[in-house]
Amino acid sequence: MDCRTSFSSLFVPLATAAEWSLLWNNDFIYFNRFNDTCLNDLYKQYELERFVDKNNEFNTYRNLLRWSYEILLYKEQAECTEALNAINIINHCKKNKVTVNCRSHAIVLTEALLSLNFKARTIGCLPIDILPVESHVMTSVYSNSLNKWIALDSARNCIYSCENDILSISEIRNCLINGKKINYVYQNRFGKISQNYSNNIYNDEWFTDYLYKNMFRFVCNRINRVSDQSGRIAYHLAPKGYLDYNIERNIIYETEEITIRYINNE
């Protein structure tokens, strides 16, 4: 399927939408190792302080991105069936010599960043389908030096850029809207991984098409801490008009596990 052709037209009516990411700067809670024992356990067990560059915040992000990718780097894939938190995911991969999907990668990176007292979120990037079969998940972390949120993709071990600017998730989406070239800045220590590895995920052209499908709407937890303890409320950011229920934070979906609330994009 040519996702770029099929889905790019859906972005056109949204090109003049308000900067919806600004709505996500409030009403969120961030835990760290000082008020979350599980984040403290992660910090101590993997000695995460060694990745901190006190003179360069961005290098710290790059170091943690590379670590979260390499510690889960195996050829075969099998998902973790225990509670999804960083320690369980890492133990699962080490014990079974397997890697995991993009969501689990993002959880490990987000929790590592939170443990070091950075503001970080695990963001689900979803297609137009109400019940999607697949999606992509990344980490968004607030950069004080850049004064904005930036996207870190642990599953691909890359940062996104365009015209020498490091991109946020909303800026990735805007590049797709405006047809700008997205560059994938890989953090591999051992050279670029073969594009034949892991079902085309490292083929940049293929992955750009994949983004066209999966950057339509977004979801993340209101409370950002160890993933399996993050509470029931998630915010779902959808384009205006996607559903009649996405106005003024109406609750549109609820189970025993989670309440999803839609946020209007204007």
mmCIF file of all heavy atoms in Angstrom, residues 69 77 99-102 105 135-137 153-158 160 184 186 192-208 210:
data_model
loop_
_atom_site.group_PDB
_atom_site.id
_atom_site.type_symbol
_atom_site.label_atom_id
_atom_site.label_comp_id
_atom_site.label_asym_id
_atom_site.label_seq_id
_atom_site.Cartn_x
_atom_site.Cartn_y
_atom_site.Cartn_z
ATOM 1 N N TYR A 69 17.962 1.632 23.108
ATOM 2 C CA TYR A 69 17.924 0.827 21.884
ATOM 3 C C TYR A 69 18.825 -0.398 22.010
ATOM 4 O O TYR A 69 18.408 -1.529 21.744
ATOM 5 C CB TYR A 69 18.368 1.688 20.703
ATOM 6 C CG TYR A 69 18.597 0.932 19.421
ATOM 7 C CD1 TYR A 69 17.522 0.507 18.643
ATOM 8 C CD2 TYR A 69 19.893 0.647 18.992
ATOM 9 C CE1 TYR A 69 17.740 -0.186 17.463
ATOM 10 C CE2 TYR A 69 20.114 -0.034 17.813
ATOM 11 C CZ TYR A 69 19.038 -0.455 17.053
ATOM 12 O OH TYR A 69 19.252 -1.148 15.891
ATOM 13 N N GLN A 77 11.809 -11.138 17.659
ATOM 14 C CA GLN A 77 10.916 -10.286 18.440
ATOM 15 C C GLN A 77 9.839 -11.115 19.114
ATOM 16 O O GLN A 77 9.216 -11.964 18.497
ATOM 17 C CB GLN A 77 10.260 -9.218 17.552
ATOM 18 C CG GLN A 77 9.314 -8.287 18.309
ATOM 19 C CD GLN A 77 8.850 -7.106 17.471
ATOM 20 O OE1 GLN A 77 9.609 -6.571 16.668
ATOM 21 N NE2 GLN A 77 7.607 -6.705 17.661
ATOM 22 N N THR A 99 13.881 -8.963 21.018
ATOM 23 C CA THR A 99 13.557 -7.553 21.091
ATOM 24 C C THR A 99 12.049 -7.400 21.236
ATOM 25 O O THR A 99 11.309 -8.396 21.307
ATOM 26 C CB THR A 99 14.086 -6.797 19.862
ATOM 27 O OG1 THR A 99 13.939 -5.384 20.088
ATOM 28 C CG2 THR A 99 13.344 -7.183 18.591
ATOM 29 N N VAL A 100 11.586 -6.168 21.303
ATOM 30 C CA VAL A 100 10.167 -5.890 21.524
ATOM 31 C C VAL A 100 9.712 -4.792 20.567
ATOM 32 O O VAL A 100 10.504 -4.242 19.803
ATOM 33 C CB VAL A 100 9.912 -5.458 22.984
ATOM 34 C CG1 VAL A 100 9.927 -6.653 23.919
ATOM 35 C CG2 VAL A 100 10.936 -4.422 23.444
ATOM 36 N N ASN A 101 8.438 -4.466 20.634
ATOM 37 C CA ASN A 101 7.883 -3.497 19.685
ATOM 38 C C ASN A 101 8.204 -2.061 20.097
ATOM 39 O O ASN A 101 8.839 -1.801 21.117
ATOM 40 C CB ASN A 101 6.373 -3.704 19.528
ATOM 41 C CG ASN A 101 5.606 -3.471 20.827
ATOM 42 O OD1 ASN A 101 6.096 -2.873 21.786
ATOM 43 N ND2 ASN A 101 4.374 -3.954 20.879
ATOM 44 N N CYS A 102 7.739 -1.118 19.280
ATOM 45 C CA CYS A 102 8.074 0.290 19.486
ATOM 46 C C CYS A 102 7.505 0.837 20.789
ATOM 47 O O CYS A 102 8.116 1.691 21.436
ATOM 48 C CB CYS A 102 7.611 1.131 18.297
ATOM 49 S SG CYS A 102 5.845 0.970 17.919
ATOM 50 N N HIS A 105 9.878 -0.204 23.557
ATOM 51 C CA HIS A 105 11.085 0.617 23.440
ATOM 52 C C HIS A 105 10.857 2.008 24.033
ATOM 53 O O HIS A 105 11.686 2.523 24.793
ATOM 54 C CB HIS A 105 11.497 0.758 21.971
ATOM 55 C CG HIS A 105 12.365 -0.336 21.458
ATOM 56 N ND1 HIS A 105 11.861 -1.518 20.976
ATOM 57 C CD2 HIS A 105 13.712 -0.434 21.347
ATOM 58 C CE1 HIS A 105 12.862 -2.289 20.584
ATOM 59 N NE2 HIS A 105 13.998 -1.656 20.808
ATOM 60 N N SER A 135 0.272 0.906 14.897
ATOM 61 C CA SER A 135 0.550 2.320 15.127
ATOM 62 C C SER A 135 2.053 2.440 15.370
ATOM 63 O O SER A 135 2.799 1.468 15.239
ATOM 64 C CB SER A 135 -0.240 2.835 16.335
ATOM 65 O OG SER A 135 0.128 2.100 17.490
ATOM 66 N N HIS A 136 2.501 3.652 15.730
ATOM 67 C CA HIS A 136 3.896 3.826 16.112
ATOM 68 C C HIS A 136 3.930 4.587 17.430
ATOM 69 O O HIS A 136 3.035 5.396 17.713
ATOM 70 C CB HIS A 136 4.674 4.600 15.048
ATOM 71 C CG HIS A 136 6.153 4.546 15.255
ATOM 72 N ND1 HIS A 136 6.835 3.361 15.379
ATOM 73 C CD2 HIS A 136 7.084 5.528 15.400
ATOM 74 C CE1 HIS A 136 8.124 3.604 15.569
ATOM 75 N NE2 HIS A 136 8.303 4.913 15.595
ATOM 76 N N VAL A 137 4.946 4.299 18.249
ATOM 77 C CA VAL A 137 5.056 4.923 19.559
ATOM 78 C C VAL A 137 6.465 5.490 19.718
ATOM 79 O O VAL A 137 7.453 4.825 19.382
ATOM 80 C CB VAL A 137 4.760 3.915 20.689
ATOM 81 C CG1 VAL A 137 4.798 4.619 22.050
ATOM 82 C CG2 VAL A 137 3.395 3.259 20.481
ATOM 83 N N ASP A 153 13.082 8.357 19.021
ATOM 84 C CA ASP A 153 12.509 7.091 18.555
ATOM 85 C C ASP A 153 13.442 5.947 18.943
ATOM 86 O O ASP A 153 14.401 5.633 18.241
ATOM 87 C CB ASP A 153 12.308 7.140 17.041
ATOM 88 C CG ASP A 153 11.411 6.021 16.536
ATOM 89 O OD1 ASP A 153 11.326 4.980 17.214
ATOM 90 O OD2 ASP A 153 10.796 6.192 15.467
ATOM 91 N N SER A 154 13.161 5.317 20.064
ATOM 92 C CA SER A 154 14.036 4.265 20.577
ATOM 93 C C SER A 154 14.011 3.017 19.703
ATOM 94 O O SER A 154 15.029 2.335 19.571
ATOM 95 C CB SER A 154 13.634 3.904 22.013
ATOM 96 O OG SER A 154 14.408 2.842 22.508
ATOM 97 N N ALA A 155 12.864 2.694 19.111
ATOM 98 C CA ALA A 155 12.775 1.491 18.277
ATOM 99 C C ALA A 155 13.671 1.580 17.052
ATOM 100 O O ALA A 155 14.180 0.570 16.565
ATOM 101 C CB ALA A 155 11.332 1.253 17.850
ATOM 102 N N ARG A 156 13.903 2.817 16.559
ATOM 103 C CA ARG A 156 14.760 3.019 15.384
ATOM 104 C C ARG A 156 16.100 3.645 15.768
ATOM 105 O O ARG A 156 16.948 3.857 14.921
ATOM 106 C CB ARG A 156 14.066 3.902 14.344
ATOM 107 C CG ARG A 156 12.722 3.364 13.883
ATOM 108 C CD ARG A 156 12.174 4.188 12.723
ATOM 109 N NE ARG A 156 12.750 3.749 11.466
ATOM 110 C CZ ARG A 156 13.343 4.549 10.592
ATOM 111 N NH1 ARG A 156 13.473 5.834 10.860
ATOM 112 N NH2 ARG A 156 13.824 4.065 9.454
ATOM 113 N N ASN A 157 16.263 3.977 17.045
ATOM 114 C CA ASN A 157 17.491 4.605 17.531
ATOM 115 C C ASN A 157 17.811 5.876 16.752
ATOM 116 O O ASN A 157 18.936 6.096 16.323
ATOM 117 C CB ASN A 157 18.668 3.622 17.442
ATOM 118 C CG ASN A 157 19.879 4.089 18.233
ATOM 119 O OD1 ASN A 157 19.757 4.883 19.154
ATOM 120 N ND2 ASN A 157 21.050 3.595 17.857
ATOM 121 N N CYS A 158 16.803 6.722 16.597
ATOM 122 C CA CYS A 158 17.026 7.920 15.783
ATOM 123 C C CYS A 158 16.320 9.133 16.354
ATOM 124 O O CYS A 158 15.382 9.042 17.146
ATOM 125 C CB CYS A 158 16.606 7.686 14.330
ATOM 126 S SG CYS A 158 14.833 7.702 14.042
ATOM 127 N N TYR A 160 14.740 12.881 14.745
ATOM 128 C CA TYR A 160 14.215 13.398 13.482
ATOM 129 C C TYR A 160 14.670 14.847 13.297
ATOM 130 O O TYR A 160 14.628 15.645 14.236
ATOM 131 C CB TYR A 160 12.686 13.347 13.469
ATOM 132 C CG TYR A 160 12.112 11.952 13.570
ATOM 133 C CD1 TYR A 160 12.066 11.277 14.786
ATOM 134 C CD2 TYR A 160 11.616 11.294 12.451
ATOM 135 C CE1 TYR A 160 11.539 9.992 14.883
ATOM 136 C CE2 TYR A 160 11.076 10.016 12.538
ATOM 137 C CZ TYR A 160 11.049 9.378 13.756
ATOM 138 O OH TYR A 160 10.529 8.113 13.851
ATOM 139 N N TYR A 184 16.574 11.196 9.168
ATOM 140 C CA TYR A 184 16.632 10.297 10.313
ATOM 141 C C TYR A 184 18.079 10.259 10.806
ATOM 142 O O TYR A 184 18.965 9.753 10.118
ATOM 143 C CB TYR A 184 16.140 8.906 9.921
ATOM 144 C CG TYR A 184 14.724 8.928 9.374
ATOM 145 C CD1 TYR A 184 14.492 8.986 8.002
ATOM 146 C CD2 TYR A 184 13.631 8.924 10.230
ATOM 147 C CE1 TYR A 184 13.195 9.023 7.503
ATOM 148 C CE2 TYR A 184 12.329 8.965 9.741
ATOM 149 C CZ TYR A 184 12.123 9.019 8.374
ATOM 150 O OH TYR A 184 10.837 9.060 7.881
ATOM 151 N N TYR A 186 20.527 8.715 12.944
ATOM 152 C CA TYR A 186 20.722 7.494 13.726
ATOM 153 C C TYR A 186 21.849 7.675 14.730
ATOM 154 O O TYR A 186 22.837 8.370 14.478
ATOM 155 C CB TYR A 186 21.019 6.315 12.797
ATOM 156 C CG TYR A 186 19.831 5.931 11.937
ATOM 157 C CD1 TYR A 186 19.716 6.390 10.628
ATOM 158 C CD2 TYR A 186 18.818 5.136 12.452
ATOM 159 C CE1 TYR A 186 18.626 6.060 9.845
ATOM 160 C CE2 TYR A 186 17.718 4.797 11.676
ATOM 161 C CZ TYR A 186 17.626 5.259 10.377
ATOM 162 O OH TYR A 186 16.533 4.934 9.606
ATOM 163 N N LYS A 192 25.323 2.159 10.310
ATOM 164 C CA LYS A 192 23.896 2.020 10.049
ATOM 165 C C LYS A 192 23.523 0.557 9.871
ATOM 166 O O LYS A 192 24.172 -0.186 9.148
ATOM 167 C CB LYS A 192 23.500 2.807 8.797
ATOM 168 C CG LYS A 192 21.991 2.824 8.563
ATOM 169 C CD LYS A 192 21.634 3.720 7.399
ATOM 170 C CE LYS A 192 20.131 3.728 7.164
ATOM 171 N NZ LYS A 192 19.749 4.572 6.028
ATOM 172 N N ILE A 193 22.469 0.144 10.548
ATOM 173 C CA ILE A 193 22.006 -1.239 10.454
ATOM 174 C C ILE A 193 21.423 -1.493 9.071
ATOM 175 O O ILE A 193 20.807 -0.626 8.453
ATOM 176 C CB ILE A 193 20.964 -1.518 11.548
ATOM 177 C CG1 ILE A 193 21.660 -1.520 12.907
ATOM 178 C CG2 ILE A 193 20.254 -2.834 11.323
ATOM 179 C CD1 ILE A 193 20.749 -1.778 14.064
ATOM 180 N N SER A 194 21.623 -2.693 8.571
ATOM 181 C CA SER A 194 21.139 -3.055 7.247
ATOM 182 C C SER A 194 19.650 -2.801 7.122
ATOM 183 O O SER A 194 18.865 -3.062 8.031
ATOM 184 C CB SER A 194 21.419 -4.541 6.977
ATOM 185 O OG SER A 194 20.730 -4.970 5.822
ATOM 186 N N GLN A 195 19.250 -2.286 5.967
ATOM 187 C CA GLN A 195 17.839 -2.028 5.729
ATOM 188 C C GLN A 195 17.047 -3.320 5.569
ATOM 189 O O GLN A 195 15.820 -3.295 5.535
ATOM 190 C CB GLN A 195 17.673 -1.155 4.482
ATOM 191 C CG GLN A 195 18.178 0.261 4.686
ATOM 192 C CD GLN A 195 17.890 1.166 3.510
ATOM 193 O OE1 GLN A 195 17.495 0.712 2.453
ATOM 194 N NE2 GLN A 195 18.087 2.449 3.701
ATOM 195 N N ASN A 196 17.718 -4.457 5.456
ATOM 196 C CA ASN A 196 17.016 -5.726 5.386
ATOM 197 C C ASN A 196 16.663 -6.262 6.765
ATOM 198 O O ASN A 196 15.976 -7.258 6.897
ATOM 199 C CB ASN A 196 17.893 -6.766 4.659
ATOM 200 C CG ASN A 196 18.078 -6.410 3.206
ATOM 201 O OD1 ASN A 196 17.177 -5.890 2.575
ATOM 202 N ND2 ASN A 196 19.262 -6.674 2.681
ATOM 203 N N TYR A 197 17.174 -5.577 7.794
ATOM 204 C CA TYR A 197 16.963 -6.040 9.165
ATOM 205 C C TYR A 197 15.588 -5.621 9.663
ATOM 206 O O TYR A 197 15.122 -4.514 9.424
ATOM 207 C CB TYR A 197 18.046 -5.442 10.069
ATOM 208 C CG TYR A 197 18.029 -5.937 11.491
ATOM 209 C CD1 TYR A 197 18.718 -7.077 11.856
ATOM 210 C CD2 TYR A 197 17.315 -5.244 12.462
ATOM 211 C CE1 TYR A 197 18.716 -7.513 13.167
ATOM 212 C CE2 TYR A 197 17.309 -5.665 13.764
ATOM 213 C CZ TYR A 197 18.009 -6.807 14.123
ATOM 214 O OH TYR A 197 17.998 -7.232 15.410
ATOM 215 N N SER A 198 14.920 -6.522 10.339
ATOM 216 C CA SER A 198 13.674 -6.226 11.055
ATOM 217 C C SER A 198 12.589 -5.652 10.149
ATOM 218 O O SER A 198 11.988 -4.625 10.434
ATOM 219 C CB SER A 198 13.946 -5.259 12.208
ATOM 220 O OG SER A 198 12.827 -5.160 13.055
ATOM 221 N N ASN A 199 12.331 -6.333 9.063
ATOM 222 C CA ASN A 199 11.164 -6.035 8.229
ATOM 223 C C ASN A 199 11.060 -4.584 7.774
ATOM 224 O O ASN A 199 10.055 -3.904 7.981
ATOM 225 C CB ASN A 199 9.877 -6.418 8.966
ATOM 226 C CG ASN A 199 9.812 -7.902 9.238
ATOM 227 O OD1 ASN A 199 10.261 -8.697 8.418
ATOM 228 N ND2 ASN A 199 9.259 -8.271 10.375
ATOM 229 N N ASN A 200 12.129 -4.073 7.191
ATOM 230 C CA ASN A 200 12.126 -2.755 6.552
ATOM 231 C C ASN A 200 12.110 -1.558 7.498
ATOM 232 O O ASN A 200 12.076 -0.423 7.026
ATOM 233 C CB ASN A 200 10.910 -2.597 5.609
ATOM 234 C CG ASN A 200 11.100 -3.316 4.297
ATOM 235 O OD1 ASN A 200 12.225 -3.443 3.812
ATOM 236 N ND2 ASN A 200 10.026 -3.798 3.723
ATOM 237 N N ILE A 201 12.143 -1.763 8.821
ATOM 238 C CA ILE A 201 11.995 -0.617 9.711
ATOM 239 C C ILE A 201 13.123 0.396 9.524
ATOM 240 O O ILE A 201 12.977 1.574 9.810
ATOM 241 C CB ILE A 201 11.892 -1.072 11.177
ATOM 242 C CG1 ILE A 201 11.430 0.097 12.045
ATOM 243 C CG2 ILE A 201 13.220 -1.651 11.675
ATOM 244 C CD1 ILE A 201 11.096 -0.280 13.460
ATOM 245 N N TYR A 202 14.290 -0.038 9.006
ATOM 246 C CA TYR A 202 15.399 0.889 8.799
ATOM 247 C C TYR A 202 15.482 1.396 7.358
ATOM 248 O O TYR A 202 16.444 2.056 7.004
ATOM 249 C CB TYR A 202 16.716 0.232 9.219
ATOM 250 C CG TYR A 202 16.719 -0.089 10.687
ATOM 251 C CD1 TYR A 202 16.490 -1.385 11.129
ATOM 252 C CD2 TYR A 202 16.905 0.904 11.646
ATOM 253 C CE1 TYR A 202 16.463 -1.682 12.484
ATOM 254 C CE2 TYR A 202 16.874 0.614 12.997
ATOM 255 C CZ TYR A 202 16.652 -0.674 13.404
ATOM 256 O OH TYR A 202 16.615 -0.968 14.737
ATOM 257 N N ASN A 203 14.482 1.097 6.566
ATOM 258 C CA ASN A 203 14.394 1.648 5.221
ATOM 259 C C ASN A 203 13.686 2.992 5.342
ATOM 260 O O ASN A 203 12.488 3.068 5.620
ATOM 261 C CB ASN A 203 13.612 0.702 4.312
ATOM 262 C CG ASN A 203 13.525 1.196 2.889
ATOM 263 O OD1 ASN A 203 13.184 2.356 2.649
ATOM 264 N ND2 ASN A 203 13.817 0.337 1.943
ATOM 265 N N ASP A 204 14.415 4.088 5.128
ATOM 266 C CA ASP A 204 13.866 5.420 5.405
ATOM 267 C C ASP A 204 12.674 5.766 4.521
ATOM 268 O O ASP A 204 11.723 6.408 4.981
ATOM 269 C CB ASP A 204 14.962 6.476 5.251
ATOM 270 C CG ASP A 204 16.021 6.360 6.334
ATOM 271 O OD1 ASP A 204 15.769 5.664 7.339
ATOM 272 O OD2 ASP A 204 17.104 6.957 6.177
ATOM 273 N N GLU A 205 12.717 5.385 3.265
ATOM 274 C CA GLU A 205 11.594 5.669 2.370
ATOM 275 C C GLU A 205 10.354 4.921 2.828
ATOM 276 O O GLU A 205 9.254 5.477 2.872
ATOM 277 C CB GLU A 205 11.951 5.302 0.935
ATOM 278 C CG GLU A 205 12.878 6.291 0.247
ATOM 279 C CD GLU A 205 12.261 7.684 0.149
ATOM 280 O OE1 GLU A 205 11.104 7.789 -0.288
ATOM 281 O OE2 GLU A 205 12.928 8.661 0.528
ATOM 282 N N TRP A 206 10.535 3.642 3.152
ATOM 283 C CA TRP A 206 9.400 2.855 3.633
ATOM 284 C C TRP A 206 8.847 3.460 4.917
ATOM 285 O O TRP A 206 7.629 3.588 5.085
ATOM 286 C CB TRP A 206 9.846 1.414 3.887
ATOM 287 C CG TRP A 206 8.756 0.547 4.448
ATOM 288 C CD1 TRP A 206 7.847 -0.203 3.757
ATOM 289 C CD2 TRP A 206 8.447 0.360 5.846
ATOM 290 N NE1 TRP A 206 6.995 -0.854 4.626
ATOM 291 C CE2 TRP A 206 7.340 -0.522 5.922
ATOM 292 C CE3 TRP A 206 9.012 0.833 7.033
ATOM 293 C CZ2 TRP A 206 6.783 -0.933 7.120
ATOM 294 C CZ3 TRP A 206 8.440 0.429 8.240
ATOM 295 C CH2 TRP A 206 7.344 -0.447 8.283
ATOM 296 N N PHE A 207 9.744 3.883 5.822
ATOM 297 C CA PHE A 207 9.277 4.374 7.114
ATOM 298 C C PHE A 207 8.590 5.730 6.984
ATOM 299 O O PHE A 207 7.645 6.021 7.718
ATOM 300 C CB PHE A 207 10.432 4.460 8.107
ATOM 301 C CG PHE A 207 9.952 4.685 9.512
ATOM 302 C CD1 PHE A 207 9.400 3.651 10.241
ATOM 303 C CD2 PHE A 207 10.027 5.947 10.097
ATOM 304 C CE1 PHE A 207 8.924 3.850 11.529
ATOM 305 C CE2 PHE A 207 9.563 6.165 11.374
ATOM 306 C CZ PHE A 207 9.014 5.112 12.093
ATOM 307 N N THR A 208 9.043 6.558 6.059
ATOM 308 C CA THR A 208 8.353 7.829 5.838
ATOM 309 C C THR A 208 6.916 7.586 5.384
ATOM 310 O O THR A 208 5.977 8.256 5.848
ATOM 311 C CB THR A 208 9.100 8.685 4.800
ATOM 312 O OG1 THR A 208 10.429 8.962 5.292
ATOM 313 C CG2 THR A 208 8.386 10.009 4.561
ATOM 314 N N TYR A 210 5.210 5.030 6.185
ATOM 315 C CA TYR A 210 4.571 4.518 7.394
ATOM 316 C C TYR A 210 4.123 5.663 8.298
ATOM 317 O O TYR A 210 3.043 5.617 8.907
ATOM 318 C CB TYR A 210 5.555 3.604 8.110
ATOM 319 C CG TYR A 210 5.000 2.831 9.277
ATOM 320 C CD1 TYR A 210 4.141 1.751 9.083
ATOM 321 C CD2 TYR A 210 5.368 3.152 10.588
ATOM 322 C CE1 TYR A 210 3.653 1.027 10.154
ATOM 323 C CE2 TYR A 210 4.889 2.424 11.666
ATOM 324 C CZ TYR A 210 4.029 1.363 11.442
ATOM 325 O OH TYR A 210 3.547 0.640 12.511
#
